[in-house]
Structures are given as structure tokens and as C-alpha cells.
Amino acid sequence: MTTSPRKIAFIGAGNMTQSIVGGMVKSGYPSDLIYVSNPSPAKLEKMRDTLHVHTSQDNAEVANAADVIVLSVKPQLMADVCAALTEQVANLSEKLIVTIAAGIRIEKYRQYLGNSIRMIRVMPNTPSLVGKGMSGLVADDRVNDDDKAYITEAFDGVGATLWVANEDELDILGAVAGSGPAYFFEFMASLQKAATALGFDREKARLMVQQTALGAAEMAIASELELEDLRKQVTSKGGSTAKGVEVYQGADIDDISARAVKAAVKRNQEMAELF
Ligand SMILES: NC(=O)c1ccc[n+]([C@@H]2O[C@H](COP(=O)([O-])OP(=O)(O)OC[C@H]3O[C@@H](n4cnc5c(N)ncnc54)[C@H](OP(=O)(O)O)[C@@H]3O)[C@@H](O)[C@H]2O)c1
């Protein structure tokens, strides 16, 4: 760690918390500064045994012990969880509040937790579960640079991080990176179907597709070329790839992506109204 470790409490010990805490510990974050709460004990026991963090079934106990509180319960439970914290936790306004719940806006947390909180919203995506996440982050104007650097480092443990300017941008990031794994799976499944339709069994077709997706992503990460130019680089004029690419371009793949992202942004905006 390059930033100073702080006492950090995770409310909810689900998949995301387990991955984030696992990433933090792997990156050298001291386990004895990490607190986790959850209603049922099994996940807590697992985290205590494997990651050696403090655990409790009492949210207020871990929140009171920490300087940073990460809200990691399902959005529909957030109002109740926050109401209990407001009643039972001293000096909430002195703690940094972080939420990873989708959809709920900072303004709403101010209603739940009081107007004086300082807060960061993080939108991780599912590949965080395998350490290859893409997390978007946005802070309110009370959050300082130390807070931002500290949280960046925590989420870097499960992948890449990208700060955005405001919550509207977070909705867009969510529509690209949050929903993106599903778009890629959809595309990968369609390539798999194309290969099976021509005689391959599903397992072999899947191997071809997933390894190719991984290779393409690794090449994109390693290269400074524009993605368009990378595509051109692997497309010889008059060759078989050019013929395949022509089919995608003929179906206006840019328009399909633009419409998909806009539809997901719209849904993110609608969901923000639900809470
Ligand atoms: N998974 C993703 O890819 C992803 C991506 C972006 C954002 N998120 C957000 O991250 C948050 C957590 O997601 P997840 O995938 O980790 O969900 P999850 O696996 O269902 O974990 C949620 C945890 O919250 C616990 N919980 C339930 N009621 C609670 C309470 N009153 N107090 C404290 N903990 C309570 C649950 O415990 P029990 O199981 O014992 O009931 C469960 O362990 C959600 O808000 C989700 O929107 C997730």
C-alpha cells in the first residue's frame, strides 16, 4: 500500500465484499484493519478463516470500529441498513462512506444517513470476482484527495479503476462496463453457436471463443494502437477475416452498440428513481 491503511468496515459479506477484501489482503492491506458484518455466520467464518479479518453479525459494531464504511448489501435493503446505522453509529459524518450498490444516488444516501456525510460511489463489475474488474468511481465534493487515493488503491486490488466527473457519467460507465460482460457473453455465445452449427461440439467451440476473447483483450491492453487499427492490423485485404468483418459492418455493429448502451443508460436512470 502506498496510502495509509485505515480501519475499514464492509456491511454485507457477499460475493463482491469477499472479492474486494481478498484483493486488498493480497495487495498487502493489513487484515486486522478490516471488519466485515453479515447476518448469517457462514460467510463470516469463511472470511475469518481465510483472510483473518474481524467479523461480526452486528453491522453497527463493525461500523463503529472503522473509519471507512463500505455499504455492500443489495440496493433494496439499503434504506433499512442505513436507518439502523444512523441510529446506532456515532459520528457517521466523520467516517468516509463508500457504496457499491447499483442505482442509488448520493442524494438519496444523504436522506438515509444525514446531510453531513462524505461519500464515494463505486460501480464495480462482475469480473471483479476474478480480479479483472472495471470499477467506476465518483465522489461528492466533501471527499478529499487522500480519501480518493485510498479507495482507488482498495479497488485496484480487483482490477482497474476509473474516476468519473459525476453520477450521470457513472450511469454511462455502468452501461458500458457494468453491463458490458453480458454483451461480451452474448457475442461469445453467438460465435460459439456459429461454430457448432458448422460441426464443432460445444466444448471445443467454447474453448476457441473464450481463448480468442482473452487473447484479443490482452492484445488491446498491451497495444497503444487504436482498437480500430488493431482490427485493421489483423484483417488482410481480400482475406477471410475481411469477409467476416464485412458481415458485422454490414449489420451496422456501431449502431447496435450505440443503441444497446443508450438503452442501458436509460434503465440506470430509471432505476435511480426507484430508490
Ligand atoms: N456482483 C456484482 O457483479 C456487482 C456489480 C456491481 C455492483 N454490485 C453491488 O454490490 C452489492 C453486493 O452485491 P453482491 O453481488 O456481493 O451480493 P450478495 O452476494 O447477495 O451479497 C449481499 C450480502 O449482503 C448480506 N446482507 C443481507 N442483509 C444484510 C443486512 N441487513 N446487513 C448486512 N448484510 C446483509 C447478505 O447476507 P445473507 O446472504 O446472509 O443474507 C449477503 O451476504 C449490491 O448492492 C450490488 O448491487 C454487485
Side-chain angles (χ1 to χ4, degrees):
M1 290 220 57
T2 54
T3 56
S4 309
R6 309 180 193 184
K7 288 184 180 169
I8 184 167
F10 288 81
I11 309 298
N15 294 322
M16 225 7 121
T17 290
Q18 291 176 37
S19 299
I20 297 162
V21 172
M24 289 171 74
V25 171
K26 207 166 146 192
S27 312
Y29 200 99
S31 300
D32 65 342
L33 296 182
I34 301 176
Y35 298 74
V36 183
S37 64
N38 201 73
S40 56
K43 293 172 191 167
L44 295 178
E45 278 162 24
K46 181 179 158 203
M47 291 190 76
R48 201 173 49 232
D49 291 348
T50 57
L51 298 167
H52 312 294
V53 296
H54 301 279
T55 60
S56 169
Q57 287 173 267
D58 180 354
N59 293 345
E61 185 185 330
V62 301
N64 271 309
D67 309 310
V68 181
I69 300 173
V70 183
L71 301 168
S72 183
V73 297
K74 292 286 182 200
Q76 56 271 28
L77 296 175
M78 197 58 85
D80 287 349
V81 165
C82 287
L85 291 177
T86 308
E87 268 180 29
Q88 297 162 15
V89 178
N91 308 328
L92 262 184
S93 60
E94 287 166 24
K95 300 175 192 276
L96 174 63
I97 312 287
V98 179
T99 177
I100 65 166
I104 308 175
R105 295 214 156 211
I106 291 174
E107 185 51 40
K108 190 53 79 170
Y109 287 99
R110 295 202 178 290
Q111 291 171 28
Y112 293 160
L113 293 168
N115 219 8
S116 51
I117 54 163
R118 75 185 200 283
M119 149 150 244
I120 294 175
R121 263 186 77 190
V122 184
M123 174 58 62
N125 68 359
T126 319
S128 304
L129 304 178
V130 293
K132 300 285 180 192
M134 175 71 248
S135 298
L137 303 95
V138 67
D140 69 20
D141 52 14
R142 297 171 195 171
V143 167
N144 60 43
D145 288 346
D146 278 353
D147 291 334
K148 285 188 184 176
Y150 167 82
I151 288 300
T152 302
E153 212 169 330
F155 280 85
D156 277 345
V158 287
T161 45
L162 183 67
W163 284 89
V164 296
N166 53 51
E167 292 184 281
D168 290 341
E169 280 194 12
L170 200 67
D171 283 341
I172 301 169
L173 184 143
V176 176
S179 307
Y183 309 155
F184 280 98
F185 292 143
E186 181 76 10
F187 180 62
M188 289 164 73
S190 76
L191 268 187
Q192 182 191 28
K193 281 178 207 151
T196 52
L198 294 175
F200 271 97
D201 68 38
R202 291 178 59 75
E203 206 179 325
K204 286 179 182 154
R206 179 172 169 153
L207 174 66
M208 286 190 257
V209 170
Q210 67 196 21
Q211 186 61 21
T212 304
L214 176 67
E218 297 256 348
M219 279 181 74
I221 288 167
S223 174
E224 287 182 359
L225 288 178
E226 293 292 333
L227 295 175
E228 270 293 294
D229 293 330
L230 269 174
R231 203 273 301 149
K232 284 179 191 150
Q233 206 177 55
V234 296
T235 313
S236 325
K237 227 173 173 183
S240 56
T241 307
K243 286 289 169 204
V245 168
E246 257 173 47
V247 175
Y248 284 113
Q249 291 179 338
D252 204 348
I253 190 168
D254 286 352
D255 181 59
I256 293 171
S257 292
R259 286 191 288 123
V261 169
K262 275 187 196 152
V265 169
K266 185 164 171 276
R267 186 64 187 140
N268 281 336
Q269 290 164 345
E270 286 165 2
M271 286 198 305
E273 301 297 317
L274 296 178
F275 300 102

